[in-house]
Amino acid sequence: MSVRVGIIGVGVMGADHARVLASQVPGAVLQALYDADPTRAKAVADETGAQSVAADPLALVRDPSIDAVLVASPDATHKDLTLACLAARKPVLCEKPLAPTTAECREVLAAESKLGRRLVQVGYMRRFDPAYVDMKMTMLSGRLGAPLIFHCVHRNVSAPSWFDSRMAVSNSAVHEFDIARWMLDTELTDIQVFRPKAARADSPGAPVFLVLETACGQLVNVEIFIDATYGYDVRGELVCEKGTVSLGAPGRTEVSLDLAHGSAYPADWRPRFADAYRLQNQAWIAAIAGGASAGASAWDGYAAAAVAEAGLQSLAENRSVSISLVEKATLYK
Amino acid sequence: MSVRVGIIGVGVMGADHARVLASQVPGAVLQALYDADPTRAKAVADETGAQSVAADPLALVRDPSIDAVLVASPDATHKDLTLACLAARKPVLCEKPLAPTTAECREVLAAESKLGRRLVQVGYMRRFDPAYVDMKMTMLSGRLGAPLIFHCVHRNVSAPSWFDSRMAVSNSAVHEFDIARWMLDTELTDIQVFRPKAARADSPGAPVFLVLETACGQLVNVEIFIDATYGYDVRGELVCEKGTVSLGAPGRTEVSLDLAHGSAYPADWRPRFADAYRLQNQAWIAAIAGGASAGASAWDGYAAAAVAEAGLQSLAENRSVSISLVEKATLYK
Amino acid sequence: MSVRVGIIGVGVMGADHARVLASQVPGAVLQALYDADPTRAKAVADETGAQSVAADPLALVRDPSIDAVLVASPDATHKDLTLACLAARKPVLCEKPLAPTTAECREVLAAESKLGRRLVQVGYMRRFDPAYVDMKMTMLSGRLGAPLIFHCVHRNVSAPSWFDSRMAVSNSAVHEFDIARWMLDTELTDIQVFRPKAARADSPGAPVFLVLETACGQLVNVEIFIDATYGYDVRGELVCEKGTVSLGAPGRTEVSLDLAHGSAYPADWRPRFADAYRLQNQAWIAAIAGGASAGASAWDGYAAAAVAEAGLQSLAENRSVSISLVEKATLYK
Amino acid sequence: MSVRVGIIGVGVMGADHARVLASQVPGAVLQALYDADPTRAKAVADETGAQSVAADPLALVRDPSIDAVLVASPDATHKDLTLACLAARKPVLCEKPLAPTTAECREVLAAESKLGRRLVQVGYMRRFDPAYVDMKMTMLSGRLGAPLIFHCVHRNVSAPSWFDSRMAVSNSAVHEFDIARWMLDTELTDIQVFRPKAARADSPGAPVFLVLETACGQLVNVEIFIDATYGYDVRGELVCEKGTVSLGAPGRTEVSLDLAHGSAYPADWRPRFADAYRLQNQAWIAAIAGGASAGASAWDGYAAAAVAEAGLQSLAENRSVSISLVEKATLYK
């Protein structure tokens, strides 16, 4: 059974989603693409074999020949487009974040709850990464005992030009917030942000270090370092009562050359999470075709945003901040 | 553009191929399945959504609603089914080996050459394994200089009940022969088989050790150990003039438990080569849809069989044996 | 030139020191041993070939046939014995801690400053561990840029019976405080202790997590987990502006067995730091023979104790605590 | 109890031995040094605190103030100096090889057998390397079952100027022959040498590949690559019935920099085997002081030379060659 997909926004992420759906996801039909830049939309349609280019994102959402929508347009547009999908009763895979503020996220929660049916998936693709899945399976096997501490590291080569120093918390760390919530199956309750003052004051990509507590009493700590220079590197170690499980080292091969032995880092997140995007999008299409839902929900999108907001407050006020969440609607339990 | 596929043989490998085509390969339509055991064919069809079950393999080949055939039936049937596909002018992905003997392989070469068009792909899936591809790309980058020695290791947990000691060379080592030919882009010219007499005499899965030479003057050595007990493990190191490149260690995660730190081996080849099968089958379908060919050719299937035959002779006569190949038809150059 | 050493306390650590001095340190002569348990002193003297057993620790210190003293008796005795060594103008290698409280440490600082000559070395042996030394050399090479964050992990198999939960900070973390001060060549200025409430309330060896800041604006974080069960494991990663350097994985060999590939952890710190103890003691004897001093000074012992005191206050009051140090005497600059 | 040592030859290896004995081996007294270059002997004596410089190597051997002799002079002198030590009834640690030919080695065997007491140790220091020792202990634990295949790799950065292509077998591979005999506790019976013709014809340091069989029916294979360029690298994997054990990866630390993660190789053998030399020399002195013997015997020196001679014949004649040994005297059983 085919699912006809429309994609809104085909910049770096959206174009990748189009390629993945076209070449890796049986059952997905690329029905229409929209982009604020029609030339770009046309180019990606030509490359991926998408059937048509839409002139207007809301028209795309409402188009009866479209079964489901993937939103990869700028963050500020996410909420309205997601609400439009809900209004049209269409499944939507919205790139993270669900919305830049918790207030907007709550609008989505309210609309979806009112509808009484889960149609929103948020693109926290790490939940589909085989290494994180393997980590969770290992933990759930019980061999290691109960989890106590989760150490997380997230490093990029360099900050993009539009980056400001708060975005390490609001844009990058949200992936860690989501994966920690998913891994430990609980909510984050407190956050404290530390900055090494040794880092250059003018550097928006300088490291931050976050310590969080969960509702189950675990500690999570996160280093985010956007200007890490040396490579794209995501690490995680889950410390349990009797043992630990870590994400493996990078690279499929090892090279011995020039007095060193080692493996390569990718320059950005796409090679590292190529499997995760493929599996996420396959699961999304399969869930739509089967009438079920998969992946991060609107609630998960809201919760990550709530942690980020508390984190920004901690960064500004240099103290621990409690994370408060609205009551969780039945739909998300 | 869709390619309607018929699969002949849905045992372990064939059923996996059906699943991969159904869930991982856009553009493939599972049109019909055949198996000597109709119950099994029906069960796999139900699971994968295949359109129909065929009553006869040759009828399946000739069925005009079938665009391409995947042969995963017993080795002894490969040649005749492949010839039938050629007669029907249909692309065929034949599981390795192309045929148990070089004489049979040559029949396929002759038929395909006469047809003047490459329709046969042999299922040497390692050519699509991301780690081997990365190894080859690293070598081709020139950073390491020219390749001189290729060390290969292939270990299984235990020999199946039908295994005999010659099969380490004829059935298992052929994967190494093919990957060495592909990696070094040359033919193997000589083979010598060594057996450690310390291994239990009654053990069909005892190790063998093979030393091969290439037409370009490189050495290839291969350990095949079917009863290795500890896990499914394929290793490779390509030693070049200025450096080496190796396949990475197993496992996506690392566990610290019980006074040890390490990662897990799979119990068989399927998790290890899941990516390779997926990418092979995607490439096969894409090539058919695009009119091109991909992967190991009938010539490659013949060449691996020729090395295996020489290897069996070396095993029997305990000496180095030269590998002779028929002249390579223009079609394969 | 020989250095005649007296050892006070030959329990686990003191007996190891005796063995190391006897079998690994040219130039050291084991002149006398003292232990509160004379039978134990006799046994260790017999094993190591020490010349004599002393009846009284202070007499040992004053014995003119003794050139230098190694103090490995219970922590509560360290201060008085070290002061006695200073009174006798003899070099002393005092096992960590220099003393349980900063007040006692300050007495030692005052006495040594008054003497105007550095005679005290504190047994923070990690400064001699080849891996930490290699980490520091790598950092000092400048290739990685300036250090920003130091991640530290210190895990034991299980807490000894006499352990209480405060000791993770006061007894175990002091090694991390010292190595961080040495690695970054600066003082620690603030400490905040976090506890995962998920850990069993009755467990004295439950993990604690510490975040510290340095006078140079770096962040240091430390996980201490005494009941980690799986092995003795010390990890460290120094994150610099352009790259990172980590302590290597454990084990000299790797084993493939039972569907896993990995290496062994030691059950306690002695195999892990055997090189460090040997090199520390060699450096101590060489420094005495050459009239110089090596290793951690009394100031270093005091500074680690000051961080521990602040850490205990943070643990009790659940907030960040500033670390205040007395003025550093000229002798230690 | 002190052992007064005289060293003959203080070039690269001999000077290192002098340093190790002076700074790492309690009980060793550097009594005298001899070198064909008296200026070098004087410089090393000054550096290491050796008591005197001898004018003549045989006078050094006979000097009654010398208890034991370490021979590190050119290979051609080893036999005569070792015989002189036997004549003087003094323990001798002779750098490998015991002698360049088996004929000369047999002279030493005859002289020592006649004496009826083992005084000769050959400097095959790998037997003391903690990683090889750990490998052997792991094998002897029985967890892995009986050993079947031993894979060995030995690579250097570049061949010295005086190297010729036969020396890969006669000078470098002897370390592998000795460690294989020691690891498997058996003799090597057959050897076959392969050369990759792809290597530059004018390269004395081009790789060779050796396949050997043992008297217990195991296979040993060895790659020797002197011009490997990328680093000094010794690898080994012992394949047993139920699992394997390998030497660990190089390096005490791991660095992430410039899109790669890895650890460093040393440029030559000295850092790699520093522990082995120290432990060998400690064991030698301890054995002399205690009246026992340790390490590789004259028989071991002879056996390695016999394998090398057969290897050179195989290289010249391009066929498998049997290794024949003289009868083993009771002294060596």
Side-chain angles (χ1 to χ4, degrees), chain B residues 89-171:
Chain B
R89 290 175 164 54
K90 291 188 179 171
V92 54
L93 173 54
C94 180
E95 257 303 318
K96 67 97 203 167
L98 177 56
T101 64
T102 52
E104 291 168 285
C105 291
R106 286 200 307 266
E107 287 187 58
V108 176
L109 293 181
E112 199 181 29
S113 288
K114 192 170 167 197
L115 195 66
R117 205 175 124 210
R118 279 166 60 173
L119 290 173
V120 179
Q121 179 171 338
V122 183
Y124 284 116
M125 78 295 176
R126 288 195 190 177
R127 294 171 176 231
F128 297 90
D129 176 62
Y132 277 116
V133 170
D134 193 57
M135 176 183 277
K136 188 164 182 176
M137 290 300 106
T138 302
M139 180 196 71
L140 292 176
S141 77
R143 290 190 294 144
L144 306 180
L148 301 176
I149 298 181
F150 192 17
H151 299 288
C152 303
V153 166
H154 178 146
R155 299 179 187 138
N156 291 67
V157 169
S158 59
S161 57
W162 43 266
F163 212 80
D164 78 58
S165 60
R166 301 169 76 252
M167 291 182 181
V169 175
S170 62
N171 283 41

Side-chain angles (χ1 to χ4, degrees), chain B residues 14-33:
Chain B
D16 267 7
H17 278 300
R19 285 177 205 114
V20 166
L21 289 170
S23 66
Q24 307 268 0
V25 182
V29 174
L30 272 191
Q31 191 71 17
L33 306 182

Side-chain angles (χ1 to χ4, degrees), chain A residues 7 11 35 46-47 106 142 146 169 185 224 226 242 255 259 286 294 315 332:
Chain A
I7 301 182
D35 197 273
D46 288 349
E47 179 195 338
R106 286 201 307 267
V169 175
D185 198 16
I224 305 283
I226 305 299
K242 293 186 291 185
V255 168
L259 294 178
L315 182 66
Y332 303 112

Side-chain angles (χ1 to χ4, degrees), chain B residues 227-238:
Chain B
D227 276 339
T229 309
Y230 74 80
Y232 180 77
D233 194 11
V234 168
R235 301 185 187 183
E237 184 189 22
L238 187 61

Side-chain angles (χ1 to χ4, degrees), chain C residues 85-154:
Chain C
C85 291
L86 288 174
R89 288 173 165 55
K90 290 189 180 169
V92 54
L93 172 54
C94 180
E95 257 303 319
K96 68 97 202 166
L98 177 57
T101 64
T102 51
E104 291 168 285
C105 292
R106 286 200 307 267
E107 286 186 58
V108 176
L109 292 182
E112 198 181 31
S113 287
K114 194 170 164 196
L115 195 65
R117 208 175 123 210
R118 278 166 62 172
L119 291 172
V120 179
Q121 179 172 338
V122 183
Y124 283 116
M125 78 294 178
R126 288 194 189 176
R127 292 171 177 230
F128 296 90
D129 176 62
Y132 277 116
V133 170
D134 193 58
M135 177 182 277
K136 190 164 180 176
M137 290 301 104
T138 302
M139 179 196 73
L140 291 177
S141 76
R143 290 190 294 145
L144 306 180
L148 299 175
I149 298 181
F150 192 19
H151 298 288
C152 303
V153 166
H154 177 145

Side-chain angles (χ1 to χ4, degrees), chain A residues 22-26 130-131 134-135 138 143-144 242-249 252-257 278 282, chain B residues 22-26 130-131 134-135 138 143-144 242-249 252-257 275 278 282:
Chain A
S23 65
Q24 309 267 359
V25 182
D134 192 59
M135 176 182 276
T138 302
R143 291 189 294 143
L144 305 181
K242 293 186 291 185
T244 86
V245 52
S246 310
L247 303 179
R252 302 180 188 280
T253 55
E254 295 173 7
V255 168
S256 288
L257 184 68
R278 175 174 56 85
Q282 285 179 353
Chain B
S23 66
Q24 307 268 0
V25 182
D134 193 57
M135 176 183 277
T138 302
R143 290 190 294 144
L144 306 180
K242 293 185 293 184
T244 86
V245 52
S246 310
L247 303 179
R252 301 178 188 283
T253 56
E254 295 173 7
V255 167
S256 289
L257 185 68
D275 283 339
R278 175 173 56 82
Q282 285 179 354

Side-chain angles (χ1 to χ4, degrees), chain A residues 182-227:
Chain A
W182 173 81
M183 184 67 65
L184 300 168
D185 198 16
T186 184
E187 297 295 350
L188 298 163
T189 58
D190 297 88
I191 183 169
Q192 186 163 357
V193 181
F194 297 84
R195 292 191 80 101
K197 297 174 192 72
R200 289 195 209 125
D202 60 345
S203 166
V208 292
F209 188 74
L210 288 58
V211 179
L212 301 106
E213 296 176 53
T214 76
C216 295
Q218 295 115 348
L219 291 179
V220 176
N221 64 80
V222 178
E223 179 206 315
I224 305 283
F225 189 3
I226 305 299
D227 275 339

